[in-house]
Amino acid sequence: LSHKIPDTTICAYTDGSHEPSKNITTCAVYIPRLNVTKSWTLSKHSSIFSAELQAIHQTLRIIYDLTDNPPEILVYCDSSSTIKTIVSNQQSTNEAISLIREKIRSLRSSGTRTTLAWIPS
């Protein structure tokens, strides 16, 4: 599938992780075209769902902060429940979901189409 993606599309890979024995939750973003590799540690007792959301939010923030707006970003995520929640029409009390939806709207209004794609892990 990657051969069918236009050269102008920026692909990003996100992931969240939780280590129960140490109670550490982290997330990471990899954007090869921009040479971006970042990771964050979340507050204690954060869920893997929160980590997946945070990874997507950080990715969108990085793209939004670029000087030149790309025509499209493709965000790969291995959490189908995270993607389903973000694209759902249901209102959410989760602040991260609201922030992600707002960032997607902001990117769209600046000319960047955002696609979230599930890749099984």
Side-chain angles (χ1 to χ4, degrees), residues 40 58 70-71 75 78 95 114 117:
W40 296 266
Q58 292 297 336
V75 181
D78 67 355
E95 184 181 4
T114 302

Side-chain angles (χ1 to χ4, degrees), residues 2-4 8-9 13 22 26 34 36 39 44-45 52 63 66 68 72 80 84 91-92 94 99 115 120:
S2 64
H3 298 302
K4 296 180 181 182
T8 55
T9 299
Y13 303 86
K22 296 180 182 178
T26 58
L34 302 178
V36 170
S39 62
K44 287 194 181 276
H45 307 293
E52 297 286 355
I63 299 301
L66 292 174
D68 297 322
E72 183 175 17
S80 64
K84 287 176 185 175
Q91 287 210 321
S92 175
N94 186 314
L99 290 171
T115 303

Side-chain angles (χ1 to χ4, degrees), residues 34-50:
L34 302 178
N35 200 27
V36 170
T37 304
K38 293 191 175 199
S39 62
W40 296 266
T41 300
L42 282 65
S43 58
K44 287 194 181 276
H45 307 293
S46 293
S47 67
I48 186 71
F49 184 75
S50 293

Side-chain angles (χ1 to χ4, degrees), residues 25-88:
T25 307
T26 58
C27 68
V29 174
Y30 175 54
I31 310 172
R33 186 158 164 210
L34 302 178
N35 200 27
V36 170
T37 304
K38 293 191 175 199
S39 62
W40 296 266
T41 300
L42 282 65
S43 58
K44 287 194 181 276
H45 307 293
S46 293
S47 67
I48 186 71
F49 184 75
S50 293
E52 297 286 355
L53 287 172
Q54 190 59 231
I56 292 171
H57 180 255
Q58 292 297 336
T59 300
L60 298 175
R61 186 189 55 75
I62 290 166
I63 299 301
Y64 184 77
D65 289 344
L66 292 174
T67 305
D68 297 322
N69 299 330
E72 183 175 17
I73 176 172
L74 177 55
V75 181
Y76 291 104
C77 174
D78 67 355
S79 172
S80 64
S81 62
T82 300
I83 292 173
K84 287 176 185 175
T85 301
I86 293 168
V87 301
S88 146

Side-chain angles (χ1 to χ4, degrees), residues 9-21:
T9 299
I10 293 179
C11 295
Y13 303 86
T14 65
D15 200 13
S17 175
H18 179 73
E19 175 55 53
S21 64

